Amino acid sequence: MKFKELSQVFTKLSSTTKRLEMTAILEDFFKKLKCEDIGFVVQLCMGKVFPANDPKELGIANNMMIETLAITGGVSVEDVKKLWKIHGDLGETAKYVIGKKKQVTLYSNDLTLDKVKENLYKIPDMTGKGSVEKKLKIVSELLSNADPEEALYLTRIVLGSMRTGVGEGVVRDALGKAFNVTSDDIEKAYNLCTDYSYVSETLCKNPKNISNIKLKLFSPIKVMLFKKVSSVKEGFEEVGKPAIIEVKYDGMRLQIHKLGNEVRMFTRNLDEVTRQFPDAVKYIKESIKANECIIEAEMVGFNPKTDKPEPFQQLSTRIKRKYDVDKLSKDLPVKIFCFDLLMLDKKSFLDDNFEERHNKLVSIIKPNPNIMIAKGIKTDSESDAEKLFTEGIKEQEGVMFKNLKAPYQAGSRVGFGVKLKSHMTELDLVITEAYYGKGKRRDWFGSFTLSCLDPDDGKYLSIGKLGTGFSDEQFEELTKKLKPLVMKENNEKVVLTPSVVVEVEYEEIQKSPTYDSGFALRFPRLIRFRNDKKPDEIATISDVEELA
Ligand code: AMP
């Protein structure tokens, strides 16, 4: 298949903002594709080269792309930067630069989808000395064979920002229509295997096989999410009586996959963290008495001197570091609190009720001070639940209420479990714009637009501006994190790919015409960065409406 066919579809998609029109364009296109092409095409439509369950990354940011464009187009890096300022987007810049070059050279225009895949798939293995040059060459080879329109989309694909407005939701609905399957069934299959290329290939070969997609060992699942409640009474109302009430630990959600002596661990974002936590792997091997299982747990960092829990922020330094892991495991040892069982010895437990899953979990864990079952009680008494809540907020974050009769619903916030935290005026939001600071902070971003999610059409809706609660180090760190995400610059304001999630507290939510959401946060302050959350897990517009 020619890459041109795909880039023409991207252009069609860019010409509309209407979700139904985008879905129809993709439905038509998906119906025509061969089964060997559909997986990669679906990934590219979502702007991601690799499926979510695959940890590979291209690792190419704006600066490397600018250099690649300069080399391919035969212009200087400064010129590309100037053009970027004018066009406000590196994809459009690539279109211009390649267009100019094509006026003076002949071009073959025989770029195929397979060639794009072959080159992009080589990139993650390019590491170490000389890897930058190699990556540059391989992307430049694609751009040299691209026409201006293809160059635009290749650039955006490489940078991981398609800007066509197509997200997982549109792809899911278009696949459903193309293969006559409900969007719900597609989502269910995806939540289990977290791989849209596999889901779409399965559909293309035989739509009926979608229901055969099952939870698989060593492929992370989309975890079940928990709603928020504001009192013990409301907790019981949501999950029924009696319920299991557990301490809500302030750490990192860990999906543990074990087969014999092989253990792999994933975060809730599906990132693999096995290499960073050899101590955790050891505890799991010693204490989980099952040959094959998938378990969910919360991993918490502890101060080695006082044996007191450290805030999540500390643990995130261990997640980021891939070296000196043994030293780090001494500086910040971890404990693992297990709370759910998803698979045991080839049997999926997702459809079993929580009480059964919990009983099985208890039966296979031999607890020790480093790994244990999350502290909890089975009760229908509000005063017992209050007592555990008071205990829970002293050293940890609060409590979870769990419905004894509920199955495990991957990827959804169904209310089979709810959380009760100490501060209720907080939200997880994503940063969608930033503004350069003034005075000594003029090189850093000094304030940020926060947005919540409209899950129906995958759009982010602004809800307030954040500029307080940061230390100088945090402003600097955040600027570094956000710079590669810049999509558009407009004097002091930049538009960003939604990626960085922050937890903020605020005094009040008010109705406001200033922001897209129709609401404004009064006095938002940063509590912490939520490196463990992806933008599709943030507060939704209906959460905001409910809180307001
Ligand atoms: P939040 O991150 O505020 O949305 O709260 C939900 C998170 O609490 C889950 O994703 C888990 O990482 C964490 N958590 C801590 N303790 C537990 C527990 N006992 N059961 C379930 N989740 C827990």
Side-chain angles (χ1 to χ4, degrees), residues 226 246-249 253 268 298 339 374 400 402 419 421 530 533:
F226 304 100
E246 286 172 356
V247 170
K248 181 181 191 307
Y249 297 93
R253 187 156 181 174
R268 62 191 276 166
E298 188 81 353
F339 59 77
M400 311 291 301
K402 299 194 178 168
K419 57 194 177 195
K421 299 210 225 183
R530 290 296 309 245
K533 280 201 172 176

Side-chain angles (χ1 to χ4, degrees), residues 64 67 122-123 125-138:
M64 205 194 292
E67 225 177 296
K122 282 182 192 157
I123 293 176
D125 294 329
M126 295 174 170
T127 51
K129 214 169 149 234
S131 60
V132 172
E133 288 73 22
K134 282 191 209 152
K135 286 185 184 185
L136 231 141
K137 217 168 131 200
I138 213 145

